[in-house]
Amino acid sequence: MTNPTSQLPPTLLWRGDEHGWLEMLDQTLLPHERVVLQLRDVDAVIEAIVHLRVRGAPAIGVAAAFGLLLGVRALAPGPMAFLDVVRSVAARLAASRPTAVNLQRALDRCIEAVRHEPLLARLFAIAQRIAADEVAMSACIAQCGKGLVPAGGTVLTHCNTGRLATVGDGTALAILFAAHRDGVRFRVLADETRPLLQGARLTALELAAAGIPVELIVDSAGPGLIARGAVQMVVVGADRIAANGDFANKVGTYGLALACAAHKVPFYVAAPGSTFDVRLPNGDAIPIEERAGTEVTELAGVAVAAVGITARNPAFDVTPARLVSAFVTDRGLLHAPFDAAIKALFDPGR
Ligand code: MRU
């Protein structure tokens, strides 16, 4: 059986000890070119996150943790206190992408770790721990969700939630990989995910590499196919899940959830604990990243709109909890009422 993790270089790989460097597969060049970047300073990591060379909520959290190590290493020891250096570099990284809470959560874990032990080696150890935790959570999500996949059915997924979006097997795609490894046979419809085509460029590549039958559809085809009974399950990832279960994911997710609710098709959200943000009461409080309009007015660098046409480009949308059939997490399936289920699992004050 083809192992998807054997097909591509690792999404992220740290080389050496705390004086080493971060290797990153440049996802903007996939599927045609496989270029591994060697990042040795925080500016390069920030550039990579902003330009989606690394993307996906768990993966940008891990990249930020190693980016923090690189940034602090360049400035310490120096005139500033170690913890102040850590905080100022973390603030720069935190501003790189605002919606996925994994990024801020990883930086918070790093700051907490060095509060009483202000050492570069400690920062290295916590970055490695964050990466290992994401791998373990991916595996648990896969085990938790694989039984949901309908044998002989068709699953629709949006954006990319595989190994490229995490440092493990993924979230939503990890569930599909695990079901396939168990011998469940099903087909996948991957939508293109305009404007940056994560579905066409990345998801289709990962599923095909795993031997899972996959067909691409344009984003606007999803709801109509759901209405026609061509889809038995939709599974997506998340970038931030509020305390009541409202969640942000790649723009286009909300429309799929509405179609599933209207046509009684199960709609699952797969996410690790690092994606839950119980500080936010509901989805209204989730910051939505607005990206450059040129991502919409151009396709692969070629203008598709007339000169002078501008575009609005929210990178994510918020889906209300009432449209979710269940959350598939590393700690089990969460069913409605989601506020109570999330509080029971993720509220640090419980
Ligand atoms: O803009 P991207 O490519 O970083 O968006 C990624 C998504 O929306 C994913 O669905 C989400 O991060 C979950 S990935 C495990």
Side-chain angles (χ1 to χ4, degrees), residues 52 55-58 97 159-161 165 171 198 237-239 249-250 316:
L52 274 60
R55 30 69 48 206
R97 288 199 81 190
C159 196
N160 174 265
T161 61
T171 57
Q198 289 92 331
D239 288 82
N249 190 48
K250 179 55 56 189
F316 300 94

Side-chain angles (χ1 to χ4, degrees), residues 256-277:
L256 293 171
L258 282 171
C260 283
H263 300 283
K264 305 206 174 355
V265 171
F267 178 86
Y268 297 112
V269 181
S274 53
T275 302
F276 285 78
D277 187 356

Side-chain angles (χ1 to χ4, degrees), residues 45-111:
V45 175
I46 291 172
E47 190 277 342
I49 295 173
V50 168
H51 290 99
L52 274 60
R53 301 187 199 288
V54 63
R55 30 69 48 206
I60 61 176
V62 174
F66 285 112
L68 184 61
L69 171 63
L70 291 171
V72 172
R73 188 175 78 186
L75 295 173
M80 266 166 93
F82 187 86
L83 206 51
D84 290 339
V85 173
V86 171
R87 286 202 182 98
S88 74
V89 178
R92 290 187 56 215
L93 282 156
S96 58
R97 288 199 81 190
T99 300
V101 73
N102 308 58
L103 193 153
Q104 185 62 58
R105 169 81 35 84
L107 294 169
D108 288 347
R109 279 184 73 182
C110 292
I111 293 169

Side-chain angles (χ1 to χ4, degrees), residues 235-301:
V235 62
V236 298
D239 288 82
R240 193 185 296 233
I241 304 167
N244 72 339
D246 294 353
F247 74 99
N249 190 48
K250 179 55 56 189
V251 66
T253 302
Y254 178 42
L256 293 171
L258 282 171
C260 283
H263 300 283
K264 305 206 174 355
V265 171
F267 178 86
Y268 297 112
V269 181
S274 53
T275 302
F276 285 78
D277 187 356
V278 294
R279 300 165 310 170
L280 303 188
N282 56 50
D284 294 344
I286 300 177
I288 298 295
E289 177 182 9
E290 293 272 347
R291 295 185 61 84
T294 49
E295 290 181 353
V296 179
T297 57
E298 296 175 1
L299 188 53

Side-chain angles (χ1 to χ4, degrees), residues 159 190-194 196-201 216-219:
C159 196
D191 64 24
E192 289 179 299
T193 318
R194 272 285 282 152
L196 296 179
L197 301 172
Q198 289 92 331
R201 295 186 302 105
L216 273 179
I217 56 172
V218 296
D219 295 330

